[in-house]
Amino acid sequence: MKRIRGLTVTLVAASLAAAACASPGAHGEVLVSTASSLADAFEALEVAFEAADPEVNVVLNLDGSSALREQILAGAPVDVFASADPANMDAIVAAGDTDGEALVFAGNRLEIAVPAGNPAAVAGLEEFARADLLIGLCAVGVPCGDYGRQALEKAGVVPSVDTDEPNVRALLTKIEAGELDAGIVYVTDVIALNGRVEGIVIPDEQNVLTEYQIATIADGPNPAGSTAFVNFVLSPEGRSILEEYGFVAP
Amino acid sequence: MTSKSTSPRRRQQPPIALVILAVAGIAVFIVPLIGLLARTPWRDLPALLTSDVVVDALRISFIASIGATAISAVLGVPLAWLLARVEFPGRSIVRGLVVLPLVLPPVVGGAALLFALGRRGIIGGPLHQMTGLVLPFSIWGVVIAATFVAMPFLVITVEGALRNLDPRFEGAAATLGAGRWTVLRRVTLPMIGPSLAAGLALAWARALGEFGATITFAGNLQGRTQTLPLAVFVALETDRGAAVALSLIMVVISLTVLIVLRERWWRPL
Amino acid sequence: MNPLAGLDAHLVVSRGDEFTLDIRLRVPRGKTVALLGPNGAGKSTVVAALAGLLPLEQGHIALDGRTLDDPDDGVLVPAEERGVGVVFQDYVLFPHLTVVDNVAFGLRSRNVKRGPSTAEAKRWLERFGIADLAGRKPGDLSGGQAQRVALARALITDPDLLLLDEPLAALDATTRVDLRRTLTDHLAQFSGPRMVITHDPTEAFLLADEIHVIENGAITQVGTPDDIRLRPRTPYIADLAGSNLFIGTAHEGTVTVGDHQISVADRHIDGPVLAAVNPRAIVISLAEPGGSSRNSWNTRVERIEHYGDRVRLQTGAPLPLTAEITPAALDDLRIAEGSPVWVSIKATEISVERD
């Protein structure tokens, strides 16, 4: 499914390529440290961007935003950072590691993910307090973990957590396998798994609107390439690809 | 250099190229340790070392690594004996399976364990239905994951020792009236003792450092399944000082145990 | 004697496709039988089968009338219940146990308590004159000491059969000479049937009452040491029995064998000796040979045997010998059984070692 969708995106992007003029002078490899929750959308962005700019090779470094932050703070040769929350981006900006301000390029919402068929019949966040259910969250410090806890707080629920997963993918793997009864993930993750997990809507008053930020890294190896890629993500084509994967406009 | 110039005095000096490479080899082990020590928040260390996270992780790691070593010994020694002494069809396949956890990424091993022993797994499913037992997200899951990655070290070491043991010693014991159990207890095990100790030490060390299979199969919850390596990983993203303190504990514990073992039992190796 | 007493065995075991062991053995109580054969003849298979470490394919093993192995009847007594004492080649002492614990092993395995086992083991060490070694580990023993420990370890369980696998092979030449005698003495302490498995004819000749020669899995000759030495039936036996071996007394370059005296090169050796002469070093002639340094005497040819390109002559009194010459030399001599001949041996061709 992903592949086919990527292909249609490629075709759309290719047809736009002539109009959306390729960035002059950009070439070589661009290393983009990308929050795990953005994985599918950024893979599609990569394909579309490389179709428009064949000189540039985008390489995605996928991990939890906090892990990516640590890598950048430790001086990893990264060109672009796409963070799933402002906190991790703020740390980079504060350290003076970005070229200028970080830009909000997308938003996301939370959803409860349950195994296909919802065997534990989870209806809402209230049930995260049940000790008899196997509940997973992302770990504290990981954006999906911090947002999930905010949502639970809004709902007034003290969760009975069975595991703090290091990133949203690890959490989803265990939910998909049916080993966890429920967890809090992004709307986009449920869409990406395409029926292999089910989403239970979290009402607006309990939900958290998350902000995705992107910035080019100061002293990155490929400034021209990174500027071109960030511009592409912020462009109307970039936005339409992001929306296709369930992200909302900022 | 001619052969005449190799006086005894000269021969004692090791070749300089070898020394340089050996020192570079030592650096591979020392440099990361220096990095760790350089980042250690010495002033906060006492508080960090007695924090709940560290104490909990120490407890879980202690239980899990000792448990995994014990299970490895109970299951691994008979398996090693079978591989070394009994010819059966598919023995080479079993040998390959035993070392598989050494080459498999631990995360893959953890996922495989999850699919097999999880609540919905092919074995874990019926087990859950019959007994209500859930292995993932429990200390049992941590022990199983650690056993999975640690037991190969024990099996390989003990099998090698058994294969090198002249079977005539066991034969001699039998002719002296010793039954199979007596032979195993009084001849076989004592004679492979040093290798058995080495295998146990290696298995324990591997179990203590286990990360990937544990977080994939057993999850990560402070006080229940969070081992030292898991705590380090989580702390790296939230509290680097704690992460460094935890790592330091692991280094100190493992070095102490391994050095003491080496001095006491491991010398023949 | 009870016909059932001692060892009665018919061993059939195949090893791979090529080799089949098929031999019959009778060893009465109180007798020592040597199984003598080259490497690869199946000697170690015999040890393993008798000790219970290798099951028979056919045949049987019975010890004092008790069946230990009989594939036809489905009987197979495991090694630990056989009562077969084995002194293994290289002794196979347990390296992690002290000498006294090695010797006590058999009793401990029979659930005798530690105290009585150790006491009994110490008595055996005393009997073999090695009580002072009790606390040592096998790695610290000389070959001769290890042999005695191995023998004590095997005998302490009072076995019904004693097997000695190449008992002297692990020893250096001087030790061998010393130990041959003590071994004979120690073997005499054991009243059951004894078997020495060896590739060394000297060992067989000196330790055994009867020799079974094994070649390629089969017994090729059975007889007393003299039978084997003087009347070999195959080229292999002829070769290994090749040395003419005498027991005598040396004094200032002369060895007295019975009432015959021969000159040897070694003038310093004194007392009981073993003297050996290679059959090819014996010169047969029709006339009395010249030269004073030779041992020579007049006798008759008692037997002539042909082994391919070699001929063996058996000569008579005063010192029966086996000489080996070529068929061409036989033709030149024109001798037949009963012909008078002169036998001569250079003193330097006679090897002498202390017995």
Side-chain angles (χ1 to χ4, degrees), chain A residues 66 69-70 163-164 174 179, chain B residues 119 215-216 220 237 240:
Chain A
S66 45
R69 175 201 72 203
E70 284 302 307
T163 180
D164 291 325
K174 292 196 173 80
E179 299 301 337
Chain B
R119 199 164 50 147
I215 201 161
T216 313
N220 168 45
E237 305 194 348
R240 198 186 294 166

Side-chain angles (χ1 to χ4, degrees), chain C residues 19-353:
Chain C
F19 178 89
T20 302
L21 174 83
D22 186 349
I23 65 169
R24 287 170 192 276
L25 293 168
R26 271 295 278 129
V27 187
R29 291 184 61 82
K31 293 283 182 193
T32 305
V33 162
L35 188 66
L36 174 64
N39 292 328
K43 298 195 300 296
S44 50
T45 310
V46 172
V47 176
L50 291 175
L53 304 174
L54 183 74
L56 294 182
E57 284 160 20
Q58 286 173 50
H60 68 270
I61 300 170
L63 195 52
D64 297 334
R66 171 187 173 220
T67 302
L68 299 181
D69 191 349
D70 191 336
D72 291 338
D73 288 354
V75 178
L76 180 62
V77 177
E80 61 266 31
E81 292 165 21
R82 283 202 176 185
V84 174
V86 186
V87 175
F88 288 87
Q89 190 173 359
D90 311 323
Y91 313 128
V92 194
L93 298 174
F94 304 122
H96 59 293
L97 299 179
T98 59
V99 162
V100 71
D101 285 341
N102 260 281
V103 175
F105 189 94
L107 296 178
R108 298 282 289 131
S109 297
R110 285 168 172 72
N111 296 321
V112 178
K113 291 269 184 306
R114 172 169 277 277
S117 298
T118 307
E120 178 68 7
K122 284 190 171 148
R123 274 193 289 280
W124 276 91
L125 292 178
E126 258 161 47
R127 197 173 300 177
F128 283 173
I130 46 174
D132 52 323
L133 304 178
R136 292 220 205 147
K137 289 282 177 73
D140 302 330
L141 300 179
S142 72
Q145 293 166 337
Q147 188 206 53
R148 281 184 246 185
V149 175
L151 197 58
R153 184 177 70 168
L155 291 177
I156 198 171
T157 60
D158 190 22
D160 298 322
L161 166 69
L162 181 63
L163 299 178
L164 298 108
D165 190 0
E166 307 277 3
L168 301 172
L171 307 173
D172 59 64
T174 8
T175 324
R176 288 170 67 105
V177 175
D178 287 345
L179 282 184
R180 217 145 44 196
R181 282 236 221 101
T182 50
L183 185 57
T184 319
D185 293 347
H186 290 145
L187 285 184
Q189 297 185 4
F190 176 69
S191 59
R194 309 175 279 249
M195 258 189 91
V196 176
I197 291 91
T198 180
H199 73 281
D200 178 355
T202 318
E203 211 166 296
F205 291 153
L206 290 167
L207 295 176
D209 303 307
E210 188 177 72
I211 295 175
H212 293 230
V213 181
I214 181 172
E215 289 176 68
N216 197 27
I219 298 288
T220 50
Q221 188 169 359
V222 178
T224 63
D226 275 347
D227 286 340
I228 302 287
R229 189 162 65 80
L230 299 174
R231 286 173 287 282
R233 285 220 210 104
T234 70
Y236 163 73
I237 304 170
D239 261 353
L240 67 80
S243 278
N244 292 287
L245 196 65
F246 315 107
I247 301 169
T249 315
H251 184 62
E252 289 180 353
T254 301
V255 174
T256 308
V257 180
D259 44 11
H260 191 78
Q261 293 196 321
I262 49 177
S263 302
V264 296
D266 189 339
R267 312 196 124 265
H268 305 292
I269 197 161
D270 210 65
V273 290
L274 291 173
V277 185
N278 188 304
R280 285 174 217 187
I282 297 168
V283 177
I284 304 290
S285 58
L286 295 174
E288 181 172 2
S292 56
S293 70
R294 290 173 171 235
N295 297 291
S296 57
W297 61 85
N298 190 294
T299 183
R300 284 177 186 280
V301 175
E302 299 207 322
R303 267 161 85 96
I304 300 179
E305 282 173 279
H306 294 261
Y307 296 101
D309 59 349
R310 293 175 292 163
V311 179
R312 288 203 157 216
L313 305 179
Q314 206 74 59
T315 63
L319 191 63
L321 286 175
T322 301
E324 192 176 296
I325 58 174
T326 61
L330 184 71
D331 287 350
D332 289 349
L333 288 166
R334 294 182 203 176
I335 50 173
E337 288 181 1
S339 301
V341 288
W342 280 87
V343 169
S344 55
I345 315 162
K346 276 186 192 169
T348 50
E349 296 284 358
I350 302 169
S351 66
V352 184
E353 61 178 62

Side-chain angles (χ1 to χ4, degrees), chain B residues 35-148:
Chain B
L36 200 61
L37 291 175
R39 285 295 173 88
T40 303
W42 297 104
R43 205 183 314 153
D44 304 337
L45 207 55
L48 285 171
L49 292 183
T50 50
S51 68
D52 283 355
V53 175
V54 174
V55 171
D56 281 346
L58 253 175
R59 182 170 54 85
I60 302 291
S61 269
F62 181 78
I63 295 171
S65 60
I66 300 284
T69 310
I71 295 175
S72 295
V74 170
L75 304 181
V77 171
L79 175 55
W81 184 85
L82 200 72
L83 287 173
R85 287 294 155 79
V86 183
E87 279 200 39
F88 57 91
R91 182 163 68 162
S92 50
I93 296 173
V94 175
R95 272 206 189 103
L97 284 174
V98 166
V99 295
L100 198 61
L102 294 183
V103 290
L104 211 62
V107 177
V108 176
L113 284 173
L114 198 63
F115 300 145
L117 301 178
R119 199 164 50 147
R120 298 274 187 87
I122 28 178
I123 295 167
L127 187 75
H128 174 60
Q129 274 162 14
M130 281 187 284
T131 63
L133 201 65
V134 181
L135 295 175
F137 317 112
S138 73
I139 186 73
W140 294 109
V142 183
V143 172
I144 290 169
T147 306
F148 176 76

Side-chain angles (χ1 to χ4, degrees), chain A residues 20-193:
Chain A
C21 73
S23 340
H27 61 87
E29 199 172 281
V30 179
L31 184 61
V32 182
S33 283
T34 311
S36 301
S37 55
L38 292 168
D40 289 339
F42 265 54
E43 275 162 18
L45 284 167
E46 175 192 350
V47 169
F49 178 73
E50 285 171 358
D53 247 331
E55 294 286 294
V56 182
N57 176 27
V58 172
V59 177
L60 298 182
N61 170 33
L62 293 162
D63 209 331
S65 300
S66 45
L68 298 172
R69 175 201 72 203
E70 284 302 307
Q71 292 167 7
I72 293 166
L73 289 175
V78 173
D79 292 299
V80 177
F81 178 37
S83 172
D85 68 346
N88 284 303
M89 184 61 89
D90 290 348
I92 305 283
V93 174
D97 280 351
T98 55
D99 274 334
E101 283 299 298
L103 296 165
V104 178
F105 68 94
N108 208 346
R109 294 173 72 77
L110 299 177
E111 209 165 55
I112 300 168
V114 297
N118 193 3
V122 174
L125 288 178
E126 298 70 37
E127 272 153 299
F128 277 55
R130 280 173 58 185
D132 60 321
L133 295 187
L134 286 171
I135 301 294
L137 292 177
C138 290
V140 173
V142 184
C144 63
D146 292 340
Y147 290 138
R149 284 175 177 77
Q150 283 176 30
L152 286 162
E153 205 170 312
K154 283 187 184 179
V157 174
V158 177
S160 161
V161 180
D162 292 284
T163 180
D164 291 325
E165 292 295 309
N167 58 54
V168 71
R169 293 276 139 163
L171 177 57
L172 282 163
T173 303
K174 292 196 173 80
I175 295 171
E176 188 190 337
E179 299 301 337
L180 289 174
D181 292 312
I184 300 177
V185 301
Y186 298 109
V187 169
T188 50
D189 295 317
V190 179
I191 293 173
L193 281 176

